[in-house]
């Protein structure tokens, strides 16, 4: 399927699953880096912090690699251009960006980079969607959902570096107060 032929979020998910892998492009040498390729977590983290940049949609389609920031904003762009209401959230434990979209009075977590929980999951409320994400993250980290802090994502722009994204979303941190928090 071509990107131009995508007609719904499930087709978008499948397209992304087959065409965009987890990794990042360096702003120094335009090289793609993945943990598997480097086989050195310390070097990967160093390169990530020093050379990552947030790709726009065209760059992501061309490289075929992106972190949660790249992939979530890619999905957000498509969803918004097809008249879906979207909500971007920043999870502070892993510095993870995720998206929820609304369709026909239902809310859907659209997750492409949280490896064990990839997919689209339906909920009756935005609160339920975010609480679900907090619960799966808590299970992964052997902690309580109340220890997982989530806030509305803000001030993220294309070509920002990793630390710029973190700083934009950690300053004046407004953690969501949910019923199940």
């Amino acid at each position: 399927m071509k990107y131009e032929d995508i007609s719904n979020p499930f087709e978008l998910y499948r397209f992304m699953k087959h065409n965009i892998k987890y990794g990042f492009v360096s702003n120094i040498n335009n090289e793609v880096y993945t943990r598997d390729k480097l086989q050195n977590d310390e070097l990967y983290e160093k390169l990530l912090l020093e050379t990552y940049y947030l790709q726009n949609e065209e760059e992501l389609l061309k490289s075929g690699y992106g972190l949660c920031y790249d992939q979530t904003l890619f999905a957000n762009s498509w969803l918004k251009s097809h008249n879906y209401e979207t909500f971007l959230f920043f999870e502070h434990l892993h510095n993870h960006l995720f998206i929820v979209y609304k369709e026909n009075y239902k809310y859907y977590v659209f997750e492409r980079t949280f490896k064990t929980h990839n997919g689209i999951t339906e909920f009756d409320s935005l609160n339920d969607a975010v609480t679900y994400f907090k619960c799966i993250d808590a299970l992964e980290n052997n902690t309580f959902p109340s220890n997982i802090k989530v806030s509305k994502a803000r001030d993220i722009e294309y070509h920002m570096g990793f630390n710029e994204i973190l700083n934009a979303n950690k300053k004046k941190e407004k953690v969501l107060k949910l019923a199940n928090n």
Side-chain angles (χ1 to χ4, degrees):
M1 169 176 281
K2 293 181 182 176
Y3 178 72
E4 301 79 29
D5 297 333
I6 297 169
S7 65
N8 63 59
F10 292 93
E11 288 180 0
L12 174 64
Y13 176 83
R14 281 192 298 279
F15 173 86
M16 291 175 69
K17 183 177 180 176
H18 295 290
N19 294 286
I20 303 173
K21 295 174 180 63
Y22 191 82
F24 70 93
V25 177
S26 169
N27 65 6
I28 302 292
N29 59 8
N30 291 321
E31 181 84 19
V32 171
Y33 291 102
T34 65
R35 284 189 192 279
D36 293 343
K37 178 180 175 183
L38 285 177
Q39 297 183 354
N40 181 330
D41 284 348
E42 198 172 304
L43 178 58
Y44 178 85
E45 294 293 328
K46 180 177 174 37
L47 289 168
L48 176 67
L49 293 173
E50 294 176 4
T51 73
Y52 167 81
Y53 74 97
L54 177 60
Q55 300 171 86
N56 63 33
E57 293 91 355
E58 294 81 23
E59 292 165 328
L60 184 61
L61 282 171
K62 182 178 178 186
S63 76
Y65 286 87
L67 299 181
C68 62
Y69 308 125
D70 307 277
Q71 294 193 41
T72 298
L73 289 184
F74 181 84
N76 187 55
S77 177
W78 187 93
L79 289 162
K80 288 180 104 170
S81 72
H82 289 81
N83 301 313
Y84 290 89
E85 186 176 0
T86 63
F87 309 87
L88 294 174
F89 294 102
F90 189 82
E91 183 276 314
H92 295 267
L93 180 63
H94 293 106
N95 305 311
H96 181 69
L97 188 66
F98 70 98
I99 188 169
V100 177
Y101 70 91
K102 183 178 180 182
E103 179 180 26
N104 297 326
Y105 305 103
K106 297 283 187 176
Y107 295 84
Y108 299 84
V109 172
F110 184 108
E111 181 56 52
R112 264 295 306 131
T113 61
F114 202 121
K115 196 173 188 175
T116 56
H117 298 287
N118 272 240
I120 298 176
T121 310
E122 178 184 304
F123 299 93
D124 291 329
S125 72
L126 184 58
N127 184 61
D128 289 348
V130 174
T131 298
Y132 160 80
F133 191 87
K134 289 176 69 168
C135 288
I136 62 170
D137 202 13
L139 282 172
E140 288 279 320
N141 293 285
N142 200 25
T143 188
F144 296 102
S146 60
N147 293 337
I148 307 296
K149 305 299 180 211
V150 174
S151 62
K152 290 182 180 177
R154 59 185 189 276
D155 303 327
I156 298 175
E157 299 176 16
Y158 293 119
H159 301 122
M160 288 177 89
F162 194 84
N163 285 320
E164 291 175 293
I165 294 169
L166 294 185
N167 291 337
N169 283 281
K170 289 194 175 194
K171 66 182 176 189
K172 299 179 191 172
E173 185 178 301
K174 295 179 183 176
V175 176
L176 295 178
K177 300 296 180 196
L178 301 170
N180 299 351
N181 207 2

